Amino acid sequence: MRLSGRFWPTLRDAPADAEAISHKLMVRAGLVRQLASGLYSFLPFGLRSLGRITTVIREEMDRIGAQEFQLPVMQPAEIWEATGRYGLDEQFRLQDRSGRAMVLGMTHEEIITWHAAREIRSYRDLPQSWYQFQTKLRDEPRPKSGILRVREFTMKDSYSLDVDEAGLARSYEAHAEAYARMFDRAGLDWYMVESDVGMMGGMGAHEFMAPSPAGEDTIARAPSGAYAANVELAVSVAIDPDFGETPAAYEPFPTPGIGTIEELSAATGLPTGRMCKSVVVVTDTGPVLALVRGEHALHEKKLSHVVGRHRPAQPDEIREWFGAGPGSIGPVGLEGVRIVADPTIATGHYVTGANRDGEHLRGVVLGRDFAAEQADIRTVLAGEGCPVSGEPLVLEPVIEIGNIFKLGTKYSEPLGATYLNADSQERPIVMGSYGIGPARVLAAAIEQSHDEAGIVWPKALAPFDVHIVLVGDAATPQADFAAALFGQLTDLGLEVLLDDREATKPGEKFVEAELLGCPIRVTIGKRTLPDGPLEVQVRRGRERCDVPLHGAAEAILSLWSRQR
RNA sequence: CGGGACGUGGCGCAGCCUGGUAGCGCACCGGCUUUGGGUGCCGGGGGUCGCCGGUUCGAAUCCGGCCGUCCCGACCA
């Protein structure tokens, strides 16, 4: 593409409300513009990158035998009512002119399953993998970080249909391998981690995570690779404090004015690991006392798997149920309150609140002094033991770039998607669902790969492979040379941008080229001719790699192909 | 939804406290200059100061309400 006459608006300054690096750079480099909160338009150069990642994803989906669909964004509400997903907070709802309730799709499990219910009849029709690229709409409570968390975005979503769980396992594995190839081709650092099944429901799930400080999720992983999981479900071997001998009975002691674990630790001289932290939440069926060790935090999501929906208790509620303020409550002698203890509490003896203001108990033992359900409800701490290898776990912020779910029959049963097996028995189709946000992959790539001058695109995602900066006007020998090189590189299969703008100063062209971040930049000016060398810059590291004029196009192709 | 901040030409900002009818840098247009790292100089064009209402002789400025945007938290298929 010749740049003159094209629309490519770059910005010297990022918008003041841009925070994430990818957000600033995508706006400054003329890739996207914001329309409203969580709504972004892709500009022509941004669309080129989006097209490239889309192609990579499509190729890898096709490689595992998946077939592409296109499904409606607007959908009748009844289908969502059938699966119990009508009315979710994030769902955009509307009516057509006759008053029929419609929704804008947040995802397409219902629609795929609806079609499967009508077309799939026999085990001979299975397995299938169906995918699409389609706009998803989600009324996010808080769009943020530019393009990372938005209300409208394109998703590649695919769905596997199998006769049984063994088939699902094969489809799931095929998708995991396809995803690995996609993210490798995209030049990303990524991990596949165990993830919470969340509101999708189902039997197992993994997420593909790109490490980045801009990430909204956190994973725990073993440096050896033995284990990696979203902290929403990560487990670890906690580091036990030295409990000493367990006393024969607990005893109260005064703790006037002490309300936090830290104050209690300071007052007693004991490590926080010997405190039992008491957190009260209110569920639909009443109060629940959650117990974790002092150094740990209660994990809301883990707790919700045990007790369902809940909210923090108010101080006056706590006083009513426990007879003391939040700083002095504990599990001993409690009646009428459900108690859930993290399994770490089952070892050792603890300091807890006495349910009397200004008083705590020491030597409290789970099982002897109080009864509690046990469930993993704590967050993992960095440095705790890997559950597989025992090595210290690392915690790392990540961007979720893809996910894979084993849905099972969660959607096929309510929507009647069944098939007849070889014994003429009707069985529900066993499903999986698999998502990738192409724009998020771009943003993650920028978060992982940029410098002070701008974007450093992995070669698979750059809007162009080679960016030629022409220094000089149209009717010059160097312009002729640039045009010739442009043609040669194009013939070699490269996508080339030729900056042939005449009114733009060379310095400005260089700055904009580095902002845009194509892997290879070639500068052609008076100095280039007649004998060269041809000045070539590799964007990653901004390293000069000049090549002779003779065979320049092939040399550039070779240099390009060696880029990440 | 809770907490915080912001809203003034396309972008970044000052002016607001202490009311007197809007300014700077970049971008844009014209001229000259320059021609390998956002050139330099001169001259220009462009703003309902987010919206509505109130106070006042007079409101970008003070007061109230609303809207929008961002950040932290909650939430997050």
Side-chain angles (χ1 to χ4, degrees), chain A residues 144-449:
Chain A
K144 60 178 288 198
S145 302
I147 215 151
L148 280 174
R149 183 166 206 76
V150 290
R151 295 192 291 177
E152 176 180 321
F153 60 100
T154 300
M155 177 186 264
K156 188 288 299 175
D157 49 321
S158 52
Y159 307 89
S160 63
L161 312 172
D162 280 281
V163 295
D164 57 16
E165 287 187 24
L168 170 58
R170 284 190 292 274
S171 295
Y172 192 82
E173 185 59 28
H175 275 85
E177 287 170 10
Y179 278 27
R181 279 191 293 269
M182 292 171 196
F183 298 133
D184 282 343
R185 286 180 63 184
L188 291 176
D189 290 331
W190 59 273
Y191 307 114
M192 176 170 137
V193 309
E194 295 175 26
S195 74
D196 192 61
V197 295
M199 291 174 70
M200 292 296 299
M203 303 141 51
H206 289 82
E207 289 163 327
F208 290 78
M209 301 295 211
S212 162
E216 300 186 84
D217 288 296
T218 305
I219 61 165
R221 67 180 183 90
S224 70
Y227 178 73
N230 194 312
V231 291
E232 292 174 357
L233 52 48
V235 294
S236 65
V237 180
I239 300 164
D240 287 336
D242 180 8
F243 287 107
E245 240 173 79
T246 302
Y250 66 81
E251 57 172 2
F253 65 102
T255 52
I258 289 179
T260 67
I261 293 291
E262 285 68 30
E263 291 164 359
L264 197 56
S265 175
T268 58
L270 298 174
T272 57
R274 293 188 55 180
M275 315 292 146
C276 174
K277 191 184 287 184
S278 301
V279 182
V280 185
V281 300
V282 183
T283 69
D284 296 343
T285 55
V288 171
L289 177 66
L291 303 177
V292 296
R293 256 176 20 193
E295 81 271 34
H296 289 133
L298 177 68
H299 196 291
E300 300 288 332
K301 208 154 192 169
K302 286 181 173 180
L303 181 64
S304 68
H305 286 308
V306 183
V307 304
R309 271 196 335 178
H310 62 275
R311 62 167 174 83
Q314 302 297 320
D316 55 320
E317 293 174 320
I318 290 174
R319 186 159 293 281
E320 178 188 335
W321 293 318
F322 292 81
S328 291
I329 58 171
V332 177
L334 204 56
E335 282 176 23
V337 176
R338 184 179 174 189
I339 304 175
V340 180
D342 189 81
T344 48
I345 300 292
T347 303
H349 57 96
Y350 290 90
V351 175
T352 79
N355 294 327
R356 285 184 294 277
D357 283 330
E359 193 170 314
H360 280 73
L361 308 176
R362 61 178 151 230
V364 170
V365 175
L366 171 60
R368 183 189 72 185
D369 302 323
F370 69 97
E373 298 168 52
Q374 288 186 38
D376 175 30
I377 55 172
R378 67 176 175 90
T379 53
V380 165
L381 292 177
E384 291 182 335
C386 169
V388 177
S389 65
E391 65 195 299
L393 290 173
V394 174
L395 261 48
E396 199 168 358
V398 293
I399 298 167
E400 181 187 348
I401 48 177
N403 54 45
I404 56 179
F405 286 93
K406 289 183 178 175
L407 297 176
T409 58
K410 180 180 163 75
Y411 295 91
S412 53
E413 285 185 5
L415 290 167
T418 60
Y419 66 94
L420 283 186
N421 68 13
D423 300 325
S424 297
Q425 294 169 313
E426 192 171 42
R427 290 276 184 259
I429 297 171
V430 180
M431 297 178 57
S433 94
Y434 315 88
I436 289 183
R440 228 186 219 196
V441 173
L442 297 185
I446 293 169
E447 293 286 345
Q448 287 186 352
S449 184

